[in-house]
Amino acid sequence: MATFSPNDPAFLENPFPFYEMGRAFSPLQVGPPGLWSVFGYDDCTAILKDHATWSSQRGGPNGDPNAAPSMLSSDPPVHSRLRGLVSQAFTPRMVEQLEPRIRQLADALLDEAAARGGAVDLIDALACPLPVIVIAEILGVPSEDRAKFRYWSDEIIAGLGSGISNPGSQLEPGMLDEMRAYFGRMVEERRAHPRADLISGLAAAEVDGSSLSFPELMQMLVLLLVAGNETTTNLIGNAVQAFMAHPAQLALLRANPALLPSAVEEVLRHSSPVQATVRAATRDVELRGKCIAKGDSAVVWIAAANRDPAVFPDPGTFDITRNPNRHIAFGLGVHFCLGAPLARLEARIALEAFLARAESFARIDDALLPRVPTFIMRGVLELPLRVEWRQPAAV
Ligand code: HEM
């Protein structure tokens, strides 16, 4: 019998039987009263699209009443204003232009890893540092402050506890003060002398004559770190694991490198970095004959929807040519992931660079890998590999 024991390493290793069981009974009350789980693709997408009935607002006892609302945990119209302000500064065009720089960073990280020899922890060497450096550069954090920035980013993610739903709520106040002071100085400086970076953009952005307040700007920075770094790390790590588990698919990809974008989409579906998100009912709702009361919460199991056999034939099969592949790994509706173009670009470049440099790669042993300790995310903390490196092409 598949059970829901979210802190059990065995559950984190393989939650898929639970999703399969849940789909048959969805919506299902699991855990404390008033907490529902929704598994089917149609129900999950309907909930994510209906923000009037299904609120993202968090007013729980752990929320900091003084904190500004974050985009992720607010509903329209508050959400629309915040999203509008950041969208002006964080455009798909800006992301596209980053491609050569991201490639340079990925190559440099792989050079360092190869120089250390044939044993490498790919999370530590590539999947973790790449998104952190990229977001630091997008924001405009000078490279001499990168170590401090990395520390804040790690601390924010470590303090994340139960998931992405309440960013920043469990941070150590001293660190937050230090971060506030640092970014406060940076915002002042960029207001006086704008540059082509995201902090300048956020400081200058306006919607209907209103700009971001300083607490809102801080909340936005925390959200960008929380929502963007670990998720992208997990996507890269999950992709390399999937390639090792499915050697025929890896061979197909090696023979047809143009399949890489479609392979990334299949990793997002099959091994979704964000497994679930949460909504609260704003009114009594009847769903498949069950009454979900106003105020009840629903865990929307994105990863279960992404394996719904009604939408994805042979959903457990990892198929890099899958088409169509209408997964919801980046969510749906007004909260659709703001960083999706960046995450896709970073993953494609990191994997392209790794596959180009690694003649072959394999796990060092079969031991279970330590996992990110929350059922909200799917990813490993370490991915030790034995790699046979190719020398980089001479320039
Ligand atoms: C593979 C990587 C990523 C995955 C799987 C992912 C997944 C998601 C999901 C599922 C949501 C919607 C959550 C909800 O509806 O409750 C979301 C929202 C968001 N993501 Fe991502 N994300 C990724 C990378 C990034 C990156 C790189 C950034 C930015 C640098 C980012 C920034 C955001 C923001 C700001 C939101 C909130 C949007 C809103 O509320 O309007 N994400 N992400």
Side-chain angles (χ1 to χ4, degrees), residues 96-116:
E96 242 170 63
Q97 289 169 346
L98 295 170
E99 176 156 358
R101 177 62 183 150
I102 300 176
R103 177 157 298 116
Q104 206 174 37
L105 289 168
D107 284 340
L109 289 167
L110 288 168
D111 282 346
E112 278 174 40
R116 288 196 297 269

Side-chain angles (χ1 to χ4, degrees), residues 57-74:
Q57 220 170 311
R58 311 277 185 277
N62 298 327
D64 175 355
N66 299 316
S70 96
M71 195 180 357
L72 190 62
S73 56
S74 59

Side-chain angles (χ1 to χ4, degrees), residues 48 56 58 70-74 79 83 86 90 131 135 138 164 198 220 223-236 268 272-279 302 328-344 346-347:
L48 293 178
S56 291
R58 311 277 185 277
S70 96
M71 195 180 357
L72 190 62
S73 56
S74 59
H79 171 267
R83 176 115 184 180
V86 74
F90 200 76
I135 196 75
I138 291 176
I164 59 173
L198 186 57
M220 190 77 85
L223 176 61
L224 288 174
L225 293 180
V226 168
N229 285 346
E230 187 171 332
T231 46
T232 309
T233 298
N234 293 341
L235 174 57
I236 298 168
L268 283 160
S272 309
V274 175
Q275 298 268 296
T277 185
V278 182
R279 294 292 187 268
I302 288 173
I328 54 166
F330 288 120
L332 207 66
V334 294
H335 293 280
F336 180 81
C337 178
L338 179 81
L342 177 62
R344 286 182 161 126
E346 286 183 311

